[in-house]
Amino acid sequence: MSLLTEVMQRPVDPGYAAAAERRRAAGDPRPGRPRALSAVAALVLGTLLAVAGVRAAVGAPKADRGRAELLERVEAATARADALAARAAQLRGDNAALAERLGGDPAAAAGAVADALAVAAAAVPVSGPGLEVTLSDAAPDPVQVQGAGAPGRVVDRDLQTLVNGLWLAGAEAVAVDGVRLSSLSSIRAAGEAVLVDYRPLTPPYRVSAVGAPAALQTGLATSVAGRYLQVLQDNYGIGVDVRTASAEDPLVLPAAGRLQLRVARPPTGDGAAGAAGGGTAGSVPAAGAGALDGQEPDERGGVP
């Protein structure tokens, strides 16, 4: 116990204290060197940390500026494309009005045929009652890996099947997130993004179809596309929301933004009448969407 008491009362050995007193009496500066070295080391370390922090702070804004510039370029290009599409639609309307003023009865008949074909070709905007179906991704599952192959994500095949089902149900015009579909349209995937006419879209995906609401809803529900959507909803948790639009609150679909005249010939005799009564826009499926083959999805990503 006496040893413990001595350690507690005098933690420093008396010999160390005596040696330190002798050095101070002799004027020996050696005890100050460790303090000076410690101060220098601390100063150097602080300088290195400061330089590293400054470099990191300078590099981060450069990366942020690069991302911001890329986003600005994408947004600017999208805005230019939208402006050009609106300008093209305006010019088409001006041309139609000019042709109507310049022509007589033959021109009026040809104009009626052209109007009917313009709707089928998605060359003009349309509005009216119809059906709107919204597909949304399932709630994230913490157990499963998220990404382009996640079973709860809406993929291009899902939109293709829905669009084809609406065409078969009698839709006169169809658009996906405001992008009007024509016989030249495509619905594809690029990584995790779904592209409609090469424009990337983000979920939820809103598919609008102009036509008789009751006929569209019944035709879709009893078709292969309806069963396909039911499987997506029951087995994979994908959201499927169906809304009808009345004549008082109509759907408004823009014209397609990518149309190019490839073949033209003057209508003669019965050819004009055949063109006028040859069908509606509902007979024009989205190109590349694939025909409904009566099969249901056994795995996410497509029908075998």
Side-chain angles (χ1 to χ4, degrees), residues 16-17 32 223:
Y16 288 107
S223 67

Side-chain angles (χ1 to χ4, degrees), residues 106 108-117 265-280:
V113 175
D115 291 342
L117 295 177
R265 63 176 181 271
T268 57
D270 296 338
T280 64

Side-chain angles (χ1 to χ4, degrees), residues 21-38:
E21 184 63 28
R22 287 195 298 273
R23 283 197 298 270
R24 282 196 296 270
D28 190 352
R30 284 184 298 173
R33 291 179 182 177
R35 296 192 185 94
L37 292 176
S38 299

